[in-house]
């Protein structure tokens, strides 16, 4: 919302409640990121994003990375992995770091 100067749909209280529930239920919060050059290439190839998104895509990814850093959220790079490899990696991280609820 900040990139586009919009009001966020979630209030600070909503975010606090979400973060509380994430902690309470052992939710593994993950942000998937892609190398910026590759991300731009993929979006151009899909050809279904408006210019507003394309002009700001790197700022949007940077905002997610800052959020992850500020909140202890796991960041996983996706450009060198298949969907199955990513799923296996996430499952293994969960098993290593979180108790089953």
């Amino acid at each position: 919302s900040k990139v586009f100067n919009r009001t966020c749909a979630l209030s600070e209280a909503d975010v606090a409640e979400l973060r509380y529930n994430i902690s309470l239920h052992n939710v593994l919060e993950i942000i998937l990121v892609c190398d910026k050059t590759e991300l731009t290439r993929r979006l151009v190839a899909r050809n279904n994003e408006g210019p507003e998104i394309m002009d700001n895509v790197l700022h949007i990814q940077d905002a997610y990375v800052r959020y992850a850093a500020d909140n202890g959220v796991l960041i996983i790079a996706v450009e060198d992995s298949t969907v199955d490899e990513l799923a296996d990696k996430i499952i293994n991280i969960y098993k290593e770091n979180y108790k089953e609820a």
Side-chain angles (χ1 to χ4, degrees):
S1 58
K2 289 180 184 178
V3 172
F4 298 109
N5 295 318
R6 297 179 183 156
T7 302
C8 185
L10 297 174
S11 69
E12 287 185 28
D14 293 335
V15 172
E17 182 178 354
L18 179 61
R19 302 251 350 121
Y20 171 77
N21 281 299
I22 285 170
S23 175
L24 180 68
H25 297 289
N26 289 326
V27 173
L28 178 59
E29 192 175 2
I30 302 169
I31 294 179
L32 303 176
V33 296
C34 188
D35 171 77
K36 291 178 179 184
T37 302
E38 177 64 11
L39 176 59
T40 302
R41 186 198 67 74
R42 290 179 185 189
L43 289 170
V44 168
R46 283 195 335 207
N47 195 30
N48 66 348
E49 298 292 352
E52 188 174 56
I53 298 295
M54 291 301 296
D55 289 345
N56 290 294
V57 69
L58 302 181
H59 298 295
I60 294 167
Q61 178 163 291
D62 288 343
Y64 279 107
V65 169
R66 278 192 306 277
Y67 169 83
D70 292 347
N71 294 285
V73 173
L74 181 63
I75 299 173
I76 297 178
V78 301
E79 62 270 1
D80 294 327
S81 301
T82 66
V83 172
D84 289 337
E85 291 167 341
L86 286 171
D88 288 342
K89 183 184 291 188
I90 291 166
I91 289 166
N92 288 332
I93 289 168
Y94 187 84
K95 287 179 178 177
E96 292 170 6
N97 295 290
Y98 293 83
K99 293 180 182 178
E100 294 282 338

